[in-house]
Amino acid sequence: MDEAAIETAGVGPLQGELRRVAAIATPADLARGIAQVSRDWLRPLPGGASALPPAPIAAGVTVDVKNPTRYLPQLAQGGLGMPDRDYFLVDDATFAKARTAYKAHIAAMLRLAGLTDPEGGAARVYALEERLARSQWSRQAQRDPEKLYNLWSRGDFAAKAPGLDWDAFLDAAGFQGQAVILVAEPSAIAGAAEAASAVPLADWRDYLAFRTIRAFAPVGPRAFVEENFAFQERTLAGTPELAQPWKRAVQTTERGMGHALSALYLQKYFPPEARVQAQVMTQAIKAAMARRIRALTWMTPQTKSRALTKLTAARIEVGAQQPELTYEALTVARNDAYGNVLRAARDAYQRNLAKLGRPVDRGEWSMLAETVNAQANPVLLKIMFPAGIMQGLFFDPKADPAVNYGAIGVVMGHELSHLFDDQGAKFDERGALHNWWTPEDLKQFTAATEALAAQYDRYEPLPGAHINGHLTLGENIADLAGLSLALDAYHASLGGRPAPVLGGFTGDQRFFMSYAQVYRGVQRDNFLRQMLATDPHSPGEWRAAEVRNMDAWYQSFDVKPGQKMHLPPEQRVRLW
Ligand SMILES: [Zn+2]
């Protein structure tokens, strides 16, 4: 927040890091320089801006999905300054515009940092990124967890991905002594390694200098902040206005030492009664899921029994990760915004490295207490609801239960069902990547879901722009499951008594109204168009339209044939 001090310091704080890059003179130096990018990366929060790692060979630590009791060192593709490889490679007017803007942006950043020949540097950085993009995997290809699971020994690297000094790289990444390394996209890693020897060192120095300046920009002088915003948010996402300094400061603090903020948030905004009620509701949803699984007609008995075992094993966590992380190793210095960011990134990287060789911490969260979101983690076999979503429209401990079940109850059912859908079927009751559905189950499930895909394909939020029924299928299935489970759980919570009529509305009417209110929202047309192309969730208005598949909704509001939202019974999709 001390913008005057940041302005006075100018590019001074950046010089040490730029000198380190300028001193890269050998292939081993380059390998260390590439590894350093991962250490210096302050990771975005989940649900935030693009989470592509900035390093062309991004190092990190992950849970072994085939043996979820251990951690593995991991290498993944990254290192592009636009959201996806398609931006570099696909012949499309929007992407072509972004490419032109990106080249100008790189030059502007190099110029602001005082580097010589910013135009030439930008051309070289861009050419190198375009080369990296060519060997990278598409988002579609990255959706297959089996293909992303490739274990390489240290000795494999020189043969499978020649061109990089792998000993220097792996040591600099902190992977000394690791016998096995998980390589997520082998051909992309091989492509980047090849570029390490095929592209001149001078070009790599420009590239790494740009990565360094880019990490500095959000906490640098105003000119850097504005140039960074103009490209990243205005050009790429259509955001018209830079967020207020306090908002950017809170976001940076959340990324750098989020659990410290999270602990404060929990104390202040998560009353014990909210936790107790949330636990009662999640248990009720879980019980509803068990009843639904037992009653399924399309699932084979052997799969049902495994599903019930998995349901029993699934954990539900509310509030935040417990215990919260603390930051004893992190030095925070007044008047050193960039230094704080670098130290926080390196602290987080070290913390991850320290997990190697230790048992898996199944309590870990990637969300913070104040995050307004929910998640299912099939490997840790749990669903998580931060305190941030246990408020407002989603939940009020004093509200009528119909309203809570229609809002947070549906979200709970949605997340729980993710552990049991076609993606969840890939992870067994230990959280291991191991398909537990029979081929027959998969066939039955797919046949039922195709009808839902076709239903959503017909929706047209903007003239000529339809929802992609397959892109959004998993989330639409989860919404439908969430509605069914939450309504069951609400009915069970009445304990056999009729629901009270409140304000002239029945219990079921209040349930469905509450569900629809959660998804009230507006977005700019440009953003909506981008969502339709990339977001696996349908826009809110059409998530609300999911009720058309629920018989109880027709009864609640006496919806008749010929009315806009009516669907004939044979077209309603029933899955769980
Ligand atoms: Zn979901």
Side-chain angles (χ1 to χ4, degrees):
M1 291 287 290
D2 191 352
E3 292 180 297
I6 288 173
E7 219 54 52
T8 307
V11 293
L14 187 57
Q15 295 310 320
E17 293 303 315
L18 287 181
R19 273 196 297 274
R20 183 177 56 71
V21 170
I24 289 174
T26 66
D29 291 345
L30 173 61
R32 285 188 284 269
I34 294 173
Q36 188 64 34
V37 181
S38 294
R39 290 185 176 268
D40 293 348
W41 181 35
L42 198 61
R43 280 164 176 68
L45 296 168
S50 164
L52 283 186
I57 301 171
V61 172
T62 185
V63 177
D64 180 349
V65 293
K66 291 209 177 174
N67 180 8
T69 57
R70 67 166 183 177
Y71 290 106
L72 284 176
Q74 184 191 35
L75 300 182
Q77 71 180 26
L80 306 183
M82 292 196 280
D84 192 83
R85 71 191 292 276
D86 288 358
Y87 279 74
F88 291 85
L89 306 176
V90 172
D91 188 14
D92 163 292
T94 312
F95 292 153
K97 224 172 111 189
R99 289 194 275 270
T100 307
Y102 185 43
K103 287 174 199 163
H105 168 65
I106 303 171
M109 295 279 266
L110 298 179
R111 193 176 303 114
L112 282 172
L115 298 192
T116 51
D117 187 23
E119 302 295 335
R124 292 187 290 273
V125 171
Y126 186 87
L128 177 47
E129 289 197 23
E130 192 188 71
R131 179 186 174 116
L132 294 169
R134 273 201 202 97
S135 62
Q136 293 198 350
W137 292 20
S138 68
R139 277 174 199 255
Q140 190 70 31
Q142 285 179 301
R143 281 207 195 102
D144 185 342
E146 279 288 348
K147 292 211 176 88
L148 293 172
Y149 191 84
N150 309 284
L151 299 182
W152 289 13
S153 71
R154 251 187 108 112
D156 284 339
F157 282 88
K160 292 185 174 174
L164 184 73
D165 184 335
W166 281 105
D167 281 336
F169 178 90
L170 295 171
D171 287 354
F175 294 166
Q176 301 92 331
Q178 297 297 321
V180 188
I181 291 159
L182 182 76
V183 178
E185 304 95 352
S187 53
I189 299 305
E194 192 189 11
S197 56
V199 174
L201 268 183
D203 296 17
W204 276 103
R205 283 192 294 266
D206 286 326
Y207 172 86
L208 291 171
F210 175 58
R211 298 257 91 75
T212 305
I213 298 162
R214 210 171 191 235
F216 166 77
V219 291
R222 186 79 189 179
F224 283 84
V225 171
E226 281 177 355
E227 176 56 36
N228 191 54
F229 168 78
F231 178 71
Q232 305 284 354
E233 299 186 54
R234 191 183 296 131
T235 302
L236 291 181
T239 311
E241 213 178 301
L242 179 64
Q244 290 297 308
W246 73 265
K247 284 194 183 170
R248 287 182 276 127
V250 169
Q251 282 162 8
T252 305
T253 310
E254 282 190 302
R255 290 170 62 184
M257 46 189 312
H259 289 268
L261 270 182
S262 197
L264 295 174
Y265 181 90
L266 269 189
Q267 280 170 21
K268 211 166 167 181
Y269 299 109
F270 196 50
E273 53 170 346
R275 182 185 293 278
V276 170
Q277 265 204 50
Q279 274 156 356
V280 168
M281 286 182 70
T282 50
Q283 288 311 322
I285 301 279
K286 210 171 161 178
M289 185 84 193
R291 289 193 298 272
R292 288 258 167 186
I293 289 171
R294 286 197 193 94
L296 283 180
T297 50
W298 56 265
M299 195 179 258
T300 57
Q302 108 195 57
T303 305
K304 269 190 192 183
S305 122
R306 291 198 78 164
L308 290 165
T309 307
K310 181 169 173 176
L311 181 63
T312 307
R315 285 175 307 128
I316 299 169
E317 294 175 352
V318 180
Q321 170 172 333
Q322 292 298 333
E324 297 268 9
L325 300 180
T326 53
Y327 298 88
E328 286 80 5
L330 177 61
T331 305
V332 179
R334 192 171 276 276
N335 292 347
D336 187 13
Y338 178 54
N340 289 335
V341 163
L342 274 184
R343 282 186 293 272
R346 291 170 187 174
D347 181 55
Y349 191 88
Q350 273 320 113
R351 197 194 289 270
N352 273 329
L353 276 185
K355 292 179 190 166
L356 291 168
R358 285 204 213 142
V360 167
D361 172 10
R362 304 188 74 83
E364 205 173 335
W365 285 40
S366 58
M367 295 176 294
L368 300 170
E370 64 270 29
T371 309
V372 183
N373 205 341
Q375 268 184 354
N377 185 322
V379 180
L380 299 180
L381 192 51
K382 64 180 182 179
I383 54 176
M384 294 154 278
F385 303 92
I389 198 173
M390 301 302 299
Q391 59 167 339
L393 270 181
F394 285 100
F395 175 75
D396 175 354
K398 295 187 183 67
D400 159 34
V403 170
N404 283 335
Y405 275 104
I408 194 72
V410 176
V411 178
M412 289 169 172
H414 172 116
E415 297 303 337
L416 190 61
S417 81
H418 274 317
L419 296 178
F420 298 90
D421 60 18
D422 56 336
Q423 290 298 313
K426 293 175 183 161
F427 296 87
D428 68 13
E429 65 276 6
R430 298 171 303 127
L433 179 61
H434 168 246
N435 200 312
W436 52 280
W437 280 21
T438 65
E440 189 53 29
D441 296 309
L442 193 59
K443 219 172 90 190
Q444 296 277 343
F445 188 78
T446 309
T449 59
E450 279 308 303
L452 193 61
Q455 186 182 109
Y456 272 80
D457 274 336
R458 285 194 290 273
Y459 292 135
E460 190 178 359
L462 289 171
H466 285 254
I467 292 179
N468 178 337
H470 282 100
L471 176 66
T472 57
L473 184 57
E475 296 302 325
N476 294 335
I477 292 169
D479 281 342
L480 183 51
L483 274 166
S484 309
L485 296 175
L487 189 61
D488 284 4
Y490 169 57
H491 290 160
S493 77
L494 295 168
R497 294 177 303 275
V501 173
L502 299 176
F505 295 107
T506 67
D508 282 13
Q509 285 177 335
R510 299 194 304 277
F511 172 92
F512 285 117
M513 285 159 63
S514 173
Y515 172 69
Q517 283 172 3
V518 162
Y519 292 110
R520 273 193 313 193
V522 288
Q523 52 277 108
R524 291 185 180 84
D525 284 0
N526 273 353
F527 182 74
L528 182 55
R529 230 171 257 282
Q530 189 184 324
M531 263 183 94
L532 289 170
T534 59
D535 193 332
H537 301 87
S538 299
E541 187 179 337
W542 292 272
R543 292 185 77 169
E546 190 82 76
V547 296
R548 301 175 76 204
N549 297 300
M550 301 280 293
D551 294 337
W553 176 74
Y554 291 85
Q555 289 148 19
S556 297
F557 293 100
D558 194 22
V559 183
K560 294 206 168 57
Q563 292 181 321
K564 191 180 163 196
M565 297 281 281
H566 185 272
L567 264 186
E570 69 279 7
Q571 286 180 29
R572 297 174 201 162
V573 176
R574 295 172 176 87
L575 285 163
W576 287 105

